[in-house]
Amino acid sequence: MTTPRRRRIAFYSHDTQGLGHIRRNIALAGAIVAAEPRTDVLILTGAPQATSLPLPPNTEVVTVPTVAKDADGRYAAGTFAMDLTSVLTLRSNLITTALMAFAPDVVVVDKVARGLDGELEQGLAALRAVRGHTTGARPRVVLGLRDILDDPLTAIREWRTAGTTQVIEDHYDEVWVYGDRSVVDVARDYDLPAAVAAKIRYTGYLAEGRSEGLVAPRDEPRRRPVPRPYVLCMVGGGQDGYDTALAFARTTYPAGHTGVIVTGPYMQPSLRRRLTAIAEEREDLVVRDFVTNSIELIAGARAVVSMGGYNTVCEVLTEDVPALVVPRVRPRREQLVRAERLSCLGLVDSMHPDDVVPERLSAWLAGVVSAPAARDRGVIALDGLRRVPTFVAELHSASAPSDVLQEMAS
């Protein structure tokens, strides 16, 4: 009997702010490899911190030179003393070379169809011109979209300015929406043309099973357990979550509870030191900069205050823990829209960041810890990580010639 050939799956995420895109791709890679262990995964990212995150088996991360985004959403080289055009050209060449050498069967692109400022276009054209290493067919290309892109007017304007529709028509086989149509109807809300709408498949939220199959880095530091019971504050990557973290640090926690703040790796060191100084002055507060076991930390909490990023919300929805979402509202309103819609469904509570003060956080924490409200998480699909491996298998099978399909079946 012939040994079945190994699949190769590639992920791309531009990652200019936070770890949202790379964490989403790692979760997807974990689900795909768990469903079919004879799979190799290459993840291309602009986030060097990705190498410190738990990874699935058979998975490698390749990082490209960083690009940073300022408070107004403008991009610039993150490390090199290069103009933006030069660093994007370097990134584009590295991405294309990696894709061609890896020869994937399926490529999943996160959110930005052309890549950052078009850096993926060279790679997409090269993929279209080659034939897959296992099937002899063109690699299948998928655009993965989070549930909320932005407020509709902004998303529609940016979609049209970037020429996203034409790129999807030319290079993409499917568009996966990592959400539930009852929360947002992407084609309707963002006025997408029929040619794009026909390629959309809803996966459900990438929530359940999110940490399964991931292996923590060997050099991850050992830390003392968090005193229980505790209430938790998570502010994503930390670039713009300081005000919420500061309010939480000055909050009165429910009697007998410890407060835990995870600042994220991107919070300015000076701001992190201020939070640490506050923690040193009180016995019921712990500050950590970065954790790889965020789901475990959420599961053990009595209540969670978090920002409204896609991955954090998915992790919160996975666990039956009261959650207060304090969304980012600029430069994008994506988190605000997500928080409002999930709040309307009774899945989370939400609070505008302008309204976050210690007294209001104290009142919310006291209320949910003493009398947590029942939340019906069954109102939306949270099993996207169970569905995506089937989508991948269907794409892979559809592109395989009959002799390869017979070999795989045997």
Side-chain angles (χ1 to χ4, degrees):
M1 185 177 79
T2 304
T3 302
R5 300 183 184 185
R6 296 180 67 87
R7 299 184 306 181
R8 293 183 184 177
I9 313 297
F11 289 89
Y12 159 86
S13 55
H14 64 289
D15 289 297
T16 59
Q17 181 169 346
L19 297 173
H21 302 282
I22 185 62
R23 290 178 62 212
R24 184 157 55 241
N25 283 346
I26 288 174
L28 288 163
I32 291 168
V33 173
E36 175 46 78
R38 294 185 298 271
T39 302
D40 293 325
V41 177
L42 176 68
I43 299 178
L44 299 165
T45 175
Q49 291 81 3
T51 57
S52 300
L53 296 172
L55 295 175
N58 314 332
T59 300
E60 294 278 3
V61 173
V62 173
T63 63
V64 296
T66 57
V67 174
K69 181 190 292 186
D70 64 20
D72 295 321
R74 294 187 296 262
Y75 294 109
T79 301
F80 293 152
M82 301 172 67
D83 60 76
L84 181 61
T85 299
S86 297
V87 77
L88 289 175
T89 298
L90 175 57
R91 283 168 56 111
S92 179
N93 290 337
L94 292 171
I95 291 166
T96 302
T97 299
L99 287 173
M100 292 303 97
F102 186 61
D105 300 297
V106 178
V107 179
V108 181
V109 174
D110 196 282
K111 183 179 179 269
V112 186
R114 298 174 55 245
L116 177 61
D117 278 6
E119 70 178 3
L120 192 57
E121 289 182 327
Q122 179 182 237
L124 290 172
L127 287 170
R128 189 174 183 84
V130 303
R131 305 187 72 79
H133 87 290
T134 62
T135 66
R138 176 180 63 83
R140 300 293 179 174
V141 183
V142 175
L143 178 63
L145 300 177
R146 65 193 181 211
D147 56 340
I148 309 294
L149 301 180
D150 205 327
D151 67 88
L153 290 178
T154 300
I156 290 169
R157 182 181 67 251
E158 291 184 348
W159 186 283
R160 292 174 177 170
T161 300
T164 301
T165 293
Q166 190 62 54
V167 174
I168 291 175
E169 291 180 357
D170 291 344
H171 296 288
Y172 286 85
D173 298 280
E174 293 185 350
V175 177
W176 296 345
V177 177
Y178 305 134
D180 189 303
R181 197 169 184 172
S182 65
V183 178
V184 57
D185 186 323
V186 170
R188 182 193 65 200
D189 288 12
Y190 300 123
D191 193 27
L192 301 185
V196 174
K199 297 184 179 185
I200 291 177
R201 303 182 74 178
Y202 287 85
T203 68
Y205 283 87
L206 308 180
E208 296 174 353
R210 194 171 180 87
S211 61
E212 295 176 7
L214 302 185
V215 180
R218 294 181 180 179
D219 58 351
E220 182 176 359
R222 293 181 177 273
R223 293 177 173 176
R224 297 170 59 183
V226 175
R228 293 173 181 256
Y230 62 88
V231 290
L232 176 64
C233 176
M234 305 185 73
V235 291
Q239 301 99 319
D240 49 7
Y242 173 72
D243 289 342
T244 296
L246 179 62
F248 187 90
R250 292 173 171 168
T251 290
T252 300
Y253 310 124
H257 287 65
T258 298
V260 179
I261 299 174
V262 180
T263 66
Y266 295 121
M267 182 175 286
Q268 293 181 22
S270 60
L271 300 181
R272 188 183 298 119
R273 286 194 294 270
R274 293 179 191 175
L275 296 175
T276 301
I278 294 173
E280 290 173 349
E281 295 176 353
R282 52 188 301 180
E283 298 178 351
D284 59 350
L285 176 60
V286 175
V287 176
R288 291 185 173 175
D289 57 351
F290 180 66
V291 297
T292 58
N293 63 335
S294 54
I295 293 179
E296 180 181 335
L297 199 60
I298 292 169
R302 296 290 301 277
V304 178
V305 176
S306 79
M307 293 188 68
Y310 178 87
N311 295 287
T312 301
V313 168
C314 281
E315 291 171 350
V316 168
L317 292 176
T318 300
E319 305 298 333
D320 191 16
V321 179
L324 175 67
V325 176
V326 181
R328 176 190 301 133
V329 296
R330 60 184 69 87
R332 293 190 177 276
R333 298 173 65 83
E334 162 228 339
Q335 292 192 11
L336 178 62
V337 176
R338 179 179 298 114
E340 290 174 345
R341 297 195 180 187
L342 293 178
S343 178
C344 287
L345 291 171
L347 295 169
V348 300
D349 295 324
S350 65
M351 186 181 296
H352 194 282
D354 292 345
D355 298 329
V356 175
V357 293
E359 295 75 16
R360 293 196 64 176
L361 291 184
S362 297
W364 182 83
L365 289 169
V368 297
V369 166
S370 62
R375 301 174 188 269
D376 182 8
R377 293 178 296 155
V379 299
I380 61 173
L382 300 174
D383 60 347
L385 291 174
R386 314 292 187 198
R387 300 184 189 185
V388 166
T390 300
F391 290 4
V392 170
E394 291 171 356
L395 276 175
H396 186 241
S397 298
S399 67
S402 58
D403 60 331
V404 175
L405 290 177
Q406 291 172 3
E407 178 182 304
M408 292 171 61
S410 65

